[in-house]
Amino acid sequence: MSTPRAPAEVSSLHVRLGAMYFAYFAYVGAYAPYLSLYFQSIGQSAQAIGLLLGAMQCVRIFAPNFWARLADRTGQRVRLLQFAIALSIVTFAGLFFTQSFAGLALVLIVHAFCSGGVNPLVETITLSSLREHMARYGPIRLWGSVGFIAAVMGTGWQLDYFAPASVLVTTTGLLLLAGCAAWTLPAAGATVSATPVSIGAIVRKPEVIALLASCLLMTVAHGPLYSFYTIFLADHGYSKATIGLLWSLGVLAEIVVFLTMPRWMGPRATELVFAATFAIAALRFVLVGWFPESLSVQLFAQVLHGATFGAHHVCAMALLGRWFGEATRARGQALYSSISFGAGGMSGAIGSGWLWSAIGPAWTFSVASAFALGGLIVVVAGLPGARGRGTIRA
């Protein structure tokens, strides 16, 4: 039985978690949009880039479950988070010493295993601290979006003046910042009972299967965006600074969603909003792929990121919270991360790398739109609340 924390202690913890989100997603914002440019600059092909990024996501199918099992069994979530970030720093440094496909693949695979537990552990620590106050999740999580924006814009500006290899230096520095943020978290704040509890019965629920399957399809749909959007825009004459601005606009839209979440987040709205995000994603990817020359269309499409990631993620967190309790929360987050960002991210990256060369960018984004529509079908069929038939209960 955990001891209730004083309000001041809870507030301090949430500030530290906000700093952790800021630092970690600043690291993501430095490498996710621009690492493909670095790979391209050292002679890697589109297929090779897709395979390299897909290899990272493949490892993330398994890595989060490893870290989550340790977290639920030991209760030492914060200590494991600190250890995972320390290993992530060491492994990422390997990119400074190799440019061959095999060498890059090895470094990225090991790094992905070490970093694969970071986000699920941070989410678990945050949700455990919130307990029944899920509406407070947005104001904490938005600092991750702020960090992402700062890194995307800063790195975009940086790459207009420095070689693509400079992204490795920036990313390493931000990983060190994330490590410092992790060490400010109180270890006792996330210690739970180590009594093992099976999640098999939860995972077999049809609504849980529908949620996880739809999240996988949504991440696959984002594959071309995350893997090739920067290259796509650069090929159409956009400067690195403008590309950074477009990425940042999408994350600004996330922040708006996170800030306004307490107003629209509720048991009756969650499934309906969740379903709407898939329809919006289908529209978004058609606009991105077929109107690359129009800055106004690209601006509008990036604003839709507030729905296709921001609202989608918030709804997914709320739905997961209905089924996975304190004793299973880390494994629930890991399962979500493995299936969505792991299997979905791997399929999206590798598939988009192949399609990019085979059928071209416009049709690749059209395929992404089709995956989003597939996710909408799964949601409507599998979540009763998405059809206006009431909410799902644990």
Side-chain angles (χ1 to χ4, degrees):
M1 182 75 67
S2 59
T3 304
R5 293 186 294 268
E9 184 182 356
V10 172
S11 178
S12 174
L13 175 60
H14 289 175
V15 169
R16 296 178 189 189
L17 285 167
M20 180 67 238
Y21 276 112
F22 177 92
Y24 175 74
F25 281 99
Y27 143 72
V28 174
Y31 90 82
Y34 301 114
L35 199 58
S36 59
L37 277 180
Y38 168 67
F39 291 151
Q40 185 184 53
S41 75
I42 60 175
Q44 300 296 331
S45 66
Q47 294 95 328
I49 293 171
L51 286 171
L52 288 170
L53 298 178
M56 293 184 70
Q57 303 304 334
C58 180
V59 175
R60 287 177 178 154
I61 298 174
F62 311 103
N65 295 290
F66 168 82
W67 293 101
R69 189 171 294 275
L70 283 179
D72 279 342
R73 286 185 175 181
T74 67
Q76 298 299 320
R77 294 169 179 170
V78 172
R79 292 300 184 215
L80 284 170
L81 171 65
Q82 294 163 349
F83 184 57
I85 292 180
L87 290 178
S88 299
I89 294 168
V90 173
T91 54
F92 188 83
L95 291 179
F96 288 97
F97 302 100
T98 182
Q99 292 188 357
S100 70
F101 176 82
L104 292 171
L106 178 61
V107 170
L108 291 175
I109 287 170
V110 177
H111 175 70
F113 178 81
C114 297
S115 62
V118 173
N119 191 48
L121 286 170
V122 175
E123 296 279 25
T124 300
I125 294 166
T126 302
L127 294 176
S128 293
S129 73
L130 293 173
R131 294 169 185 165
E132 70 274 15
H133 303 293
M134 261 301 296
R136 298 177 188 173
Y137 173 81
I140 298 173
R141 175 58 178 77
L142 72 83
W143 287 105
S145 300
V146 173
F148 189 92
I149 286 177
V152 165
M153 293 189 69
T155 308
W157 174 86
Q158 168 189 320
L159 290 175
D160 275 335
Y161 296 93
F162 298 96
S166 65
V167 73
L168 302 183
V169 178
T170 301
T171 303
T172 302
L174 291 170
L175 267 175
L176 288 168
L177 182 63
C180 293
W183 280 98
T184 69
L185 298 175
T191 301
V192 296
S193 169
T195 303
V197 178
S198 173
I199 64 171
I202 301 173
V203 174
R204 287 192 292 270
K205 291 182 177 181
E207 56 266 31
V208 176
I209 294 172
L211 171 67
L212 295 174
S214 65
C215 288
L216 181 147
L217 291 170
M218 181 66 105
T219 307
V220 172
H222 280 75
L225 187 84
Y226 292 149
S227 300
F228 294 104
Y229 189 53
T230 298
I231 292 175
F232 182 57
L233 293 176
D235 287 346
H236 284 87
Y238 290 84
S239 70
K240 304 300 187 300
T242 302
I243 293 170
L245 178 63
L246 282 165
W247 277 106
S248 300
L249 179 62
V251 186
L252 278 172
E254 284 179 29
I255 293 176
V256 172
V257 169
F258 292 143
L259 281 174
T260 59
M261 188 184 78
R263 300 180 184 176
W264 56 262
M265 189 69 173
R268 296 183 179 276
T270 303
E271 292 96 326
L272 292 173
V273 173
F274 189 63
T277 65
F278 289 88
I280 294 170
L283 170 65
R284 180 189 183 191
F285 297 129
V286 168
L287 293 177
V288 168
W290 291 97
F291 300 94
E293 306 291 349
S294 173
L295 177 60
S296 60
V297 171
Q298 296 303 315
L299 289 169
F300 176 68
Q302 285 303 91
V303 169
L304 297 182
H305 191 70
T308 67
F309 176 79
H312 175 84
H313 180 68
V314 169
C315 292
M317 290 297 100
L319 292 170
L320 283 170
R322 292 184 185 175
W323 300 303
F324 294 93
E326 185 64 29
T328 59
R329 184 160 285 138
R331 281 171 289 163
Q333 284 293 326
L335 186 64
Y336 166 73
S337 181
S338 296
I339 291 176
S340 179
F341 303 118
M346 176 194 68
S347 302
I350 294 175
S352 61
W354 181 80
L355 291 172
W356 202 261
S357 299
I359 62 176
W363 284 107
T364 299
F365 279 109
S366 297
V367 172
S369 179
F371 272 97
L373 288 175
L376 175 61
I377 293 170
V378 171
V379 170
V380 172
L383 302 184
R387 304 190 297 274
R389 288 171 49 188
T391 61
I392 304 167
R393 303 189 182 277

